[in-house]
Amino acid sequence: MKERAKEVQAATRRGSTVQKAAEAERGVLEKIAEMNEADRAIAERVHAVITASAPRLEPRLWYGMPAYALDGTVVCFFQSAAKFKARYATLGFSDQARLDDGAMWAAGFAITEVSADVERRIEHLVTKAVG
C-alpha cells in the first residue's frame, strides 16, 4: 500500500496530461529495468506487445507493477516472478477487462517465456480486454 500511495502522490504533483503520460511510461520502463534478467526479458516483450496492439492503453505503475489503463482504470498488469517469489511471471487482467466468456473465464496467465505464439495470445487477450 505504501508503494501505491507514493505513486498516487507523485501523479498528482505532475503537470500536463502529456507530461503525466510520459512520466508514467518512464516509470514503467524503469520498473522493468530493475527486474532480474528473466523477468525483465518477459516484461519487455509483454510491454512491447501491449503498447503495439492496444495503443489506447496507458502504461503506468500499479502497486509497483507495470500496468496498462484505459481512461485511468487498470485493465491489465504484469507481475514479475521474483517480486512475489513465484514460479512464473503473470499477465493479469482486472475486472474491467472484457474477457467475459460464459460463467467462468481466466483473469491471469502464467508466462515462462515469450515466443511468437505467446505474443499472438497476448495481443488477442489485450485487444479483447479493451473491447
Side-chain angles (χ1 to χ4, degrees):
M1 292 300 283
K2 289 179 185 178
E3 277 185 300
R4 178 70 181 138
K6 287 179 186 177
E7 292 164 12
V8 170
Q9 285 177 342
T12 57
R13 283 186 247 128
R14 296 184 195 117
S16 74
T17 303
V18 173
Q19 289 173 321
K20 287 180 184 179
E23 183 74 21
E25 181 153 21
R26 248 190 320 277
V28 166
L29 295 174
E30 287 171 2
K31 187 59 76 173
I32 290 171
E34 293 172 3
M35 294 177 186
N36 68 34
E37 187 177 337
D39 285 336
R40 184 174 54 250
I42 294 169
E44 288 172 344
R45 302 265 308 269
V46 167
H47 177 76
V49 171
I50 291 172
T51 55
S53 61
R56 292 176 34 205
L57 292 179
E58 304 155 349
R60 61 181 266 195
L61 289 176
W62 187 59
Y63 296 102
M65 297 177 287
Y68 304 86
L70 182 62
D71 299 325
T73 303
V74 170
V75 173
C76 59
F77 53 92
F78 178 82
Q79 292 180 331
S80 72
K83 180 172 180 149
F84 294 96
K85 297 180 179 130
R87 213 175 71 191
Y88 45 76
T90 307
L91 176 61
F93 291 87
S94 75
D95 62 340
Q96 299 302 306
R98 297 180 178 154
L99 297 177
D100 304 36
D101 184 19
M104 183 175 150
W105 57 89
F109 297 83
I111 304 175
T112 58
E113 65 179 82
V114 183
S115 64
D117 187 45
V118 170
E119 285 183 354
R120 282 190 296 277
R121 279 190 76 192
I122 293 169
E123 182 178 354
H124 170 75
L125 287 166
V126 170
T127 302
K128 184 177 179 182
V130 173

